[in-house]
Every structure is written in C-alpha cells, then in structure tokens.
C-alpha cells in the first residue's frame, strides 16, 4: 500500500509500519483463506487504521489464490471481459500546460481524463475549458476537486461551467456540504474521499448524493472490505471505480483484479499506478495498451514479488509468534 504522503488521507508511512509491527505477529499462522478470521483479529487488536491492515488482507487473498490455483479475479466472482479502461490525471497548473498534457494523453490512447481542480473556482473554470477544447468528442472528463472546495466555491464553479460536459468528483470534504452542492448539480456526481466504509456509502446513497463512487483499497482496509463495498454499490445501481492511493505492480494487480471482477455495466475505469512510479516491485502479465489494462492470469495476484527491489525488511516475525523485531 502507498499512503500518498500524510496530507491526503488520514494515513502515513510510519503509521503503516507501526501497525504492521503490532498486527503481523498476531496474524501469522492464521489460514489466509479464512478472511473473516483475519479481519476479526486485526480489528480486535487495532481500531481503525484500515490503511495499516490493507497489505495484510491483500497478501492473504494472494495466498488464497495461489492455494486454489486461481487468479484473484476468479476468486472474486470471475472477470467480466478482458480489460478495464484507464484514466489519466492532469495535475493543476496553467491552463495551456494542462491542455498540452491532455492532448498528449489522448495521443497515447487514453480516452478518460481526470482534471484536478479545487483551487480558485475562476481559475479552475479556465483549466476545464482549456482541456475540453483540445480533447476529441467522446472523451470522458472528470473535474476532481479532491474535497478541496467549500460548498460556495463548488456552486460558483458549477454556475460557470453549466455548458461544459464533465463529471463532478468529490467537490467538498463533508457530507452536508456535498449534499448542498448536489442540489444544484445537474451532471453525474461521484464521491471518492468520503467513501471510507460501507456505512458512508449507504449514507451517501440514502441522501441521493451519488451516481458513482471511487473505492480505494487502502482506505477501506483491503481487498475483503473493498469487495463488500463494491458489491453493495453495484446492487444499488452505482457506477464503481476501484483503485488505491498509489502503488506499483503488487497493488496495481489487486486493483486490476477487483476492477475486472466488477460487472462491466457498473465498471467505470481505473488507474495503472505501476506506470506512475520509477521502481518496480514485481513482474507479471499486467499489460496496458490503448488506454486499457488487463488483470494478470497467474494464481492470486499473478505477480512475482521482487524481494531485491523491496530491500531489507523493516522487521522480521517468526513462526514462534515473537513480536516484530528489527531485521
């Protein structure tokens, strides 16, 4: 898992390491196929901190698939199709620079773009106009504020872009502010940062707030809970994106398996994070082409982990059940 610094979610690298020091000795020896037992154990000994539990749950699903000689997508219900569409994010910057970036991604085969907004609404309008001016018809464009606007700022942006075609994603951080924005929003409305549990999904749905959700594996606590929230979202008729807060081959493989085992009519897109980083942590048949990505076909995650790339372990837990000790 990748916490994406300490500024995005209530998650950070040191918290992950300390969470694993606590939990790893407790879960060593649990049959990895017994996902309920694993979830119960980690929740009993550490309240919250789903990001610190995510990698353990992901590893258990990988082991389960290897034991069953099945890819993770098949364990999760089977893959619907062979590839999932990819999007690319366009970071905040000068409008022309963002337009140039969008044009480059389109040339590379991407047909789904996420424009980062959330600063001054007037400037963000110029950013959206610049990007939409250069992309071909049929390109799906999201305006993603990453929960950075006030409700007033979001309403100003909506008024100024009423003639533009885009999807609005997570304008404000809190539920009530998003409800007020939704009341004046006549375009698809997606939540990301607000969806951190099944309860938050159900609350948003009851309020008539969402057309779609973005589910991040680490934010929800692993594959098990992401699958639960995803399946409920599908049953509620919502569009679903499964991704994470970052990662390389290991995490991206989990993203791909969860995405492809989501029914195609409910599946939005996902992200090829392993192509966003400079260090690979494994190998497998995780292929991106023409703006799409497959899921590996090997058992479990289908990734051979590169232990040399990971470097020396932070600590070692042995089968005697000793506490995590420095390596």
């Amino acid at each position: 898992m990748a916490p994406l610094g300490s500024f995005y979610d209530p998650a950070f690298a040191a918290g992950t390491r300390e969470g694993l020091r606590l939990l790893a000795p407790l879960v060593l020896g649990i049959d990895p196929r017994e996902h309920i037992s694993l979830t119960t154990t980690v929740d009993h000994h550490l309240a919250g901190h789903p990001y610190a539990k995510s990698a353990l749950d992901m590893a258990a699903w990988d082991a389960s698939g290897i034991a069953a000689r099945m890819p993770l997508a098949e364990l999760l219900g089977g893959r619907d199709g062979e590839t999932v569409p990819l999007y690319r994010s366009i970071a905040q910057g000068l409008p022309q620079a963002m337009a140039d970036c969008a044009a480059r991604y389109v040339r590379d085969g991407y047909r789904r773009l996420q424009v980062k907004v959330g600063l001054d609404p007037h400037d963000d309008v110029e950013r959206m106009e610049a990007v939409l001016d250069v992309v071909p018809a049929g390109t799906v464009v999201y305006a993603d504020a990453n929960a950075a606007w006030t409700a007033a700022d979001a309403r100003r942006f909506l008024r100024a872009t009423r003639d533009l075609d885009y999807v609005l994603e997570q304008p404000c951080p809190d539920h009530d502010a998003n409800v007020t924005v939704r009341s004046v929003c006549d375009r698809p409305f997606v939540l990301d940062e607000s969806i951190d549990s099944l309860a938050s999904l159900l609350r948003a749905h009851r309020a008539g707030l969402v057309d779609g959700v973005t589910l991040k594996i680490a934010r929800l606590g692993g594959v098990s809970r992401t699958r639960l929230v995803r399946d409920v979202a599908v049953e509620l008729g919502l569009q679903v994106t499964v991704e994470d807060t970052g990662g390389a081959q290991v995490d991206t493989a989990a993203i791909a398996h969860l995405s492809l085992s989501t029914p195609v009519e409910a599946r939005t897109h996902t992200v090829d994070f392993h192509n966003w980083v400079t260090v690979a942590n494994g190998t497998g048949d995780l292929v991106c082409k023409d703006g799409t990505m497959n899921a590996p076909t090997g058992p479990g995650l289908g990734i051979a982990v590169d232990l040399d790339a990971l470097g020396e372990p932070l600590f070692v837990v042995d089968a005697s059940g000793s506490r995590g000790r420095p390596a």
Side-chain angles (χ1 to χ4, degrees), residues 33-187:
R33 297 167 297 185
E34 297 177 0
H35 302 289
I36 293 175
S37 179
L38 177 66
T39 299
T40 300
T41 298
V42 297
D43 286 350
H44 177 74
H45 290 278
L46 181 62
H49 300 279
Y51 65 98
K53 303 169 183 176
S54 182
L56 291 173
D57 183 78
M58 191 181 294
W61 277 99
D62 185 33
S64 298
I66 293 170
R69 299 181 181 179
M70 294 174 63
L72 178 58
E74 277 62 38
L75 284 183
L76 297 174
R79 62 190 78 198
D80 191 358
E82 296 301 321
T83 61
V84 58
L86 294 168
Y87 75 82
R88 273 283 173 161
S89 286
I90 302 171
Q92 293 163 332
L94 294 174
Q96 186 58 55
M98 295 178 71
D100 292 343
C101 183
R104 184 171 67 254
Y105 287 150
V106 168
R107 289 195 298 271
D108 290 341
Y110 294 90
R111 292 296 179 265
R112 308 183 72 89
L113 302 175
Q114 185 189 74
V115 179
K116 294 299 185 182
V117 291
L119 297 176
D120 180 88
H122 175 76
D123 296 337
D124 285 331
V125 171
E126 293 184 355
R127 295 182 175 100
M128 286 298 298
E129 290 175 339
V131 168
L132 289 169
D133 279 346
V134 300
V135 299
T139 306
V140 177
V141 178
Y142 277 53
D144 183 13
N146 284 119
W149 277 328
T150 64
D153 284 340
R155 290 195 297 268
R156 288 172 59 199
F157 180 83
L158 283 167
R159 284 197 302 271
T161 58
R162 62 172 60 91
D163 295 327
L164 303 182
D165 184 17
Y166 63 89
V167 178
L168 182 63
E169 183 167 356
Q170 193 74 47
C172 307
D174 66 277
H175 175 82
D176 290 341
N178 283 316
V179 169
T180 65
V181 174
R182 176 63 197 226
S183 68
V184 296
C185 180
D186 63 352
R187 60 196 67 248

Side-chain angles (χ1 to χ4, degrees), residues 5 11 39 91 143 168 250 293 312:
T39 299
L168 182 63
V250 173
M293 179 169 68
E312 291 299 314

